[in-house]
Amino acid sequence: MQSQNPSNALPTIWEIPEALWGIIAEILCNAYPSKRRGRPRCCFRLIIDTIIYRFRSGVQWNHLPKELADDSTAHRWFQRWCNDGTFERIWSILIQKCQGLGGVDWQWQSADGRMGKARFGGEKVGRNPTDRGKPGTKMSVVTEADGGPLGITIAGANVYDTKFLAETLNAIVVDRPQSTQHLCLDKGYDNPTGRAAVKDASYPSYWRRKVR
């Protein structure tokens, strides 16, 4: 659900601002302290900037601008941070910081999924019914009112959104506050499985109902 006040919109981030980097740097330095010996560690700030550029632009890893980090190095650290939970820790701390500044609108939330290609396979891959049965994945995201992501899950492209709604809601990376919260869903979740997931997560739901 988008905010009704356009003045709330923030500029697109292509490089880590100084204040934000201070928070992320502390997390990374604690997780990966510098070694006294051996090869110098790569610049984590440049790695983060490279990852942001990669996902903002959609460019392939091996087509990154020369002024950014080496593509193999950036991709290796990206995979490592995904697998060891570093990105999730960064995500949760940033949400807490934003929440402390009043930047997270918990009152209205929204969840939905989208499908994408999976050319290189993986554990959570299925036949994409909208892409001639080619391998694909489905990403399910829950956001706060202004579109800030709170939780995300991945499944095969042939899994119905409603089947892993509960997993998506459980993937919210911080504890939800004790306040009135509403969850907006489309009609694809208007079924026993979707309603049960919403009820178990203690939301009063709002969805576009199917025509009977």
Side-chain angles (χ1 to χ4, degrees):
M1 180 175 180
Q2 296 295 322
S3 171
Q4 299 300 313
N5 185 0
S7 64
N8 290 340
L10 298 175
T12 299
I13 294 178
W14 291 92
E15 296 179 345
I16 293 290
E18 198 66 39
L20 183 57
W21 170 244
I23 299 172
I24 296 175
E26 183 178 355
I27 299 171
L28 294 178
C29 289
N30 288 337
Y32 300 96
S34 298
K35 297 180 180 179
R36 296 183 178 181
R37 299 180 180 179
R39 189 175 181 180
R41 190 178 61 191
C42 59
C43 176
F44 280 161
R45 185 167 188 172
L46 184 59
I47 295 294
I48 291 289
D49 285 344
T50 302
I51 293 171
I52 290 175
Y53 183 91
R54 162 67 179 83
F55 288 101
R56 285 290 191 185
S57 67
V59 68
Q60 295 181 3
W61 286 101
N62 59 351
H63 288 166
L64 291 166
K66 294 181 179 180
E67 59 268 23
L68 295 176
D70 173 74
D71 61 305
S72 297
T73 302
H75 187 249
R76 184 170 60 253
W77 279 104
F78 168 71
Q79 290 184 313
R80 182 178 299 179
W81 291 338
C82 286
N83 293 332
D84 68 9
T86 297
F87 270 136
E88 186 169 330
R89 288 194 294 274
I90 293 173
W91 186 3
S92 63
I93 289 175
L94 292 183
I95 289 179
Q96 293 173 41
K97 295 284 186 182
C98 289
Q99 186 173 329
L101 297 172
V104 181
D105 188 346
W106 287 96
Q107 184 177 3
W108 290 96
Q109 297 163 42
S110 178
D112 205 353
R114 74 162 181 84
M115 289 183 286
K117 298 181 183 297
R119 297 185 179 91
F120 302 105
E123 295 180 0
K124 298 184 178 182
V125 173
R127 293 171 59 86
N128 189 337
T130 67
D131 193 20
R132 295 173 293 178
K134 293 181 179 179
T137 59
K138 180 173 288 186
M139 178 177 67
S140 178
V141 180
V142 56
T143 71
E144 49 88 49
D146 290 316
L150 301 172
I152 183 173
T153 53
I154 302 292
N158 56 343
V159 178
Y160 290 110
D161 290 346
T162 190
K163 293 291 187 181
F164 65 123
L165 176 60
E167 183 181 350
T168 304
L169 299 178
N170 289 332
I172 294 177
V173 296
V174 295
D175 293 332
R176 287 165 49 200
Q178 298 297 318
S179 60
T180 301
Q181 299 170 41
H182 307 281
L183 182 66
C184 297
L185 300 165
D186 65 29
K187 61 184 179 181
Y189 297 93
D190 185 13
N191 51 60
T193 302
R195 288 193 289 271
V198 171
K199 181 179 179 181
D200 290 343
S202 302
Y203 286 101
S205 60
Y206 293 82
W207 42 44
R208 181 179 177 182
R209 296 198 175 275
K210 292 182 178 179
V211 177
R212 303 297 183 184

